[in-house]
Every structure is written in structure tokens, then in C-alpha cells.
Amino acid sequence: EPAFVATMLAVVGLGAIAVPVSCAGPVAEFARSIAGVDPKLVACGAHGVWLMEHETQIGTPTIDASTASVTSAISPVIAAEPDDLAVLLLTSGVSATPKAAMLSHGNLDWMQRTLLNGVNGPTADDRTLGVLPFTHIFGLNVVLLTGLRAGSCVYLVNRFRARPTLELIASERMTQVAGVPPMWRAWADLEGPADAFQSVRYASSGAAALPVGVFQAVRDIYGREIAEGYGLTETSPVVTSSRDIDPRPGSVGVVLDGVEVRILEPDGSDVDPGDIGEIWVRSPGVFKGYWNDVPATRAVLTDDGWFFTGDVGAFDDDGFLYLVDRIKDVIIVSGFNVYPAELEEILMEHPDIDGSIVVGVPDERTGEAIEAYVDGDVPEAELRAFLDERLSRYKRPAVIHFVEELPITPAGKRVRRELR
């Protein structure tokens, strides 16, 4: 919504740190998300909450960004240094506690300038679909901030619905459309007019792997090839892309200029060409670490700037990257990261649950779906009502299995691979 854009730009212009947070889920989930951030100001809009973090109290404690004048609560725009923090984006890891990835003005600026280069970089003549959540790095930096920097017109859409957005793309003759795989699948399933994407000069997909079948369906129905990319919150986000080359179905493209990527064995040695290993990334877009969490930062970021992604992949002979697996247990539902440890902790809060393990399974509609295995004596309807009060819809299990025993090691480690 426009209030988010105005507030976001005002916050970073002030030199404070913006913390975009969705408030679509239950209040308890929102409270967990911001527990470690300690915001000094909360800006509330109709469809979101935006936080500011600063060393001093700024303006009023709370403003309604949908009706109030943001500029009345803050100071004039300042010139930020590249290393100054711009945003904290909430993410997680194998733990249940959300972590806040620290992205600087320099991180965001470098990524924006990189994306502006090339044949398919946004320009002032572009009309861009802005339906991806701006609390997600893909929507925030790739779509919104880079689009505005180019002078593009960004159409703000609060919620994705396949038919209305397809009609909007056609009626407004949009030229840039960025989406996640479930969006592209939904448009393919509609089998809309063949010319629906006629005005689109660049169509891209990210946040999760795009199934080859979806790529082919969109190409066959609408005559549009989707450029797939790969990135993470911690890399601002793009690492590889197919934006100015012929896409290869199943590949997330080639490494962006200015980005270094290594594929490593578990012992830290580089793999032979064509072999799989963990993906390491180094670039000016790599984040500064996790807010107030030195151990978590040291676990993924080396002193010389290499970030351990936790993703497993391989390059082909032409330098195209293919994602194979994930070392981390993160589940990706409709492009959103879901962390099993968070769900397991919530399940264990129920007094009649003695144990829980959460895993992701393939799903044609959402990419992955969540399945929960629980050891406990509680009616499923009661357990689902319990979860509805504590978790956003996309984090709730599609299936709940009640079992008498879970694969847990004597040390208490959950062996999720036995249930996948």
C-alpha cells in the first residue's frame, strides 16, 4: 500500500533502521517476531506494521501510517554512509527464534545498481507489478526499491489473486512481472488469453525453485519464458539470474557480475566441476550479520566475507547453477520460508503434546507443504484451533500425523530425514 512506501522511504531517509514486518498473522506470532528487535517506533497501516530501530527515541511512539503524516514525526533526509544499517529483515535458521538479518545502505545500493544494468534492467518507461510482499527481500529490494530508483511505475497490489492480477497485467500493459512459483502455476492453471503477457518484456521467478512443468506451461500458453533466479535475504538478494540470457528450464541462471560463488565439500574443499556441494557466496550484497546474535553470525559468515547459504547445488559446463537440495531444514511454502523448529516449539506448548517433528513434502501447488508428526493425545480439531491462534496460515501443517514414537536421537536431535 502507498503508506508502506512512504513510511519505508521516510525511515531510511532519516537514517534510522526499518524493520518491515507482516501483521497478517496472529498477534502472538507478531510478538515473537519482534521480540529481539526492540523497536523505538511502530508505524501501523491497514496491511502491515513497519518498525524503526534507532539509538534515540524518535517522534511519537506510534503513528498510523495510513492516515497520519509521516514527515511530521521525523527529521529531514540525511546522507547515509554505505556501512550504515538500512533494514533488518526477519529470518531464521534451524532455531525457533527469528533472527534479524542486517542489510546496510551499501548492500541495498549495490544490488539495485547491479539490477539496473543490462538489457532487462528496469527503466523509467517500465510498468511493474508490485504484488510480492515488501516484507520479503525479493519484493522490497528487487521490485519496489530498484523499480522506484529506475523511475518505473510500480503498481501496488495488496493480495495475489490469479485472475485479477492477470487482467491487470493485460489492461495496464505491464512490462515487468516478478513472481514466485505458485503465482506462475496459478496463471498457467487459468489458461487465460494467449496475449495476456504480450506487453511484458521481462518475466522472472525467484524465492523457490520453479518446476520445469510450470516453465513449459507458461511458455506454451502465453508465449512467455520465465527467467529464474536464486538469492537469499542475506545476499540482498540476487546471486544468480537468467535475466539477459536464454533461460534453461531447471536452472537458476548464471552468477551475477560482482558476485563470487564456490561449491564446497563438507570438509571445506572445492568440488570438482559438475559435482554437488554447499553453495558459498561473497559479494558487496552479503549482509553484515544477525542483529545482536554474534554466534549465529559466526556460524554462517567468515571474516573474509563468505556466506554459507546452506543450499546444495552444482554448476554445469556453461556456468549455469542448478539447486539440488538444502542442508538447512527450511521449508519453502509459496515462496515463504517456514522453519520446522518454530512450529515444533509451538506444538510443544500444547499441554497434551509430548513430542513433535515437522517436515516439508513436495506439493504441486505451493512447491512444498508442511506435515507435522506429533506424539500426543489431543483431538486434531483442538490442535488445529490451537495452531490457528499462534501461526500464520502458510505456516500451518497441511497434514498432522499422530504417532506413538518419533525418530529422536538419545541427545534429543530430531531426525527429520526419516519422515520426509
Side-chain angles (χ1 to χ4, degrees), residues 154-363:
V154 180
Y155 287 74
L156 304 183
V157 181
N158 282 330
R159 179 178 300 176
F160 174 76
R161 290 182 294 166
R163 190 173 300 280
T165 52
L166 189 68
E167 292 173 351
L168 183 66
I169 290 167
S171 65
E172 298 299 326
R173 299 194 57 76
M174 294 193 185
T175 58
Q176 297 254 351
V177 175
V180 294
M183 290 170 53
W184 290 109
R185 179 181 293 278
W187 284 326
D189 289 344
L190 274 180
E191 296 191 15
D195 62 353
F197 287 89
Q198 185 176 22
S199 62
V200 177
R201 71 182 185 90
Y202 182 56
S204 62
S205 181
L210 180 71
V212 173
V214 175
F215 176 94
Q216 294 171 336
V218 172
R219 181 186 58 193
D220 294 345
I221 296 168
Y222 300 110
R224 176 61 56 196
E225 290 195 337
I226 305 167
E228 189 174 1
Y230 164 64
L232 306 97
T233 299
E234 292 89 343
T235 56
S236 300
V238 187
V239 174
T240 64
S241 175
S242 307
R243 64 179 189 145
D244 289 331
I245 57 178
D246 291 332
R248 292 190 181 182
S251 169
V252 292
V254 298
V255 178
L256 286 184
D257 289 342
V259 178
E260 299 174 80
V261 174
R262 297 173 66 188
I263 308 292
L264 283 87
E265 300 276 11
D267 63 5
S269 61
D270 289 277
V271 303
D272 293 329
D275 288 346
I276 66 171
E278 183 180 5
I279 300 169
W280 289 21
V281 177
R282 183 167 66 179
S283 79
V286 169
F287 76 142
K288 303 303 179 184
Y290 298 113
W291 180 261
N292 290 337
D293 199 336
V294 174
T297 300
R298 288 177 175 171
V300 299
L301 195 61
T302 67
D303 291 340
D304 57 351
W306 285 100
F307 171 60
F308 313 154
T309 68
D311 293 322
V312 177
F315 284 110
D316 67 13
D317 292 339
D318 296 322
F320 283 78
L321 181 66
Y322 293 79
L323 300 181
V324 177
D325 199 354
R326 288 191 305 276
I327 295 174
K328 298 175 182 178
D329 290 316
V330 62
I331 304 165
I332 301 180
V333 179
S334 297
F336 291 95
N337 289 354
V338 178
Y339 300 93
E342 179 185 6
L343 275 67
E344 290 161 354
E345 185 173 282
I346 299 302
L347 283 163
M348 292 297 291
E349 290 179 1
H350 193 286
D352 296 323
I353 298 297
D354 296 321
S356 66
I357 295 181
V358 172
V359 299
V361 296
D363 183 271

Side-chain angles (χ1 to χ4, degrees), residues 89-154:
L89 285 178
L90 299 180
T91 178
S92 188
V94 296
S95 68
T97 305
K99 295 192 293 291
M102 300 186 292
L103 296 176
S104 69
H105 286 267
N107 291 146
L108 300 180
D109 172 71
W110 178 82
M111 180 54 61
Q112 292 161 18
R113 287 187 289 107
T114 299
L115 295 176
L116 288 171
N117 291 329
V119 175
N120 286 309
T123 71
D125 295 325
D126 278 313
R127 295 174 297 282
T128 301
L129 179 66
V131 70
L132 292 173
F134 297 148
T135 55
H136 190 287
I137 187 64
F138 189 10
L140 179 65
N141 205 29
V142 175
V143 176
L144 178 64
L145 298 182
T146 302
L148 293 180
R149 183 167 181 167
S152 303
C153 175
V154 180

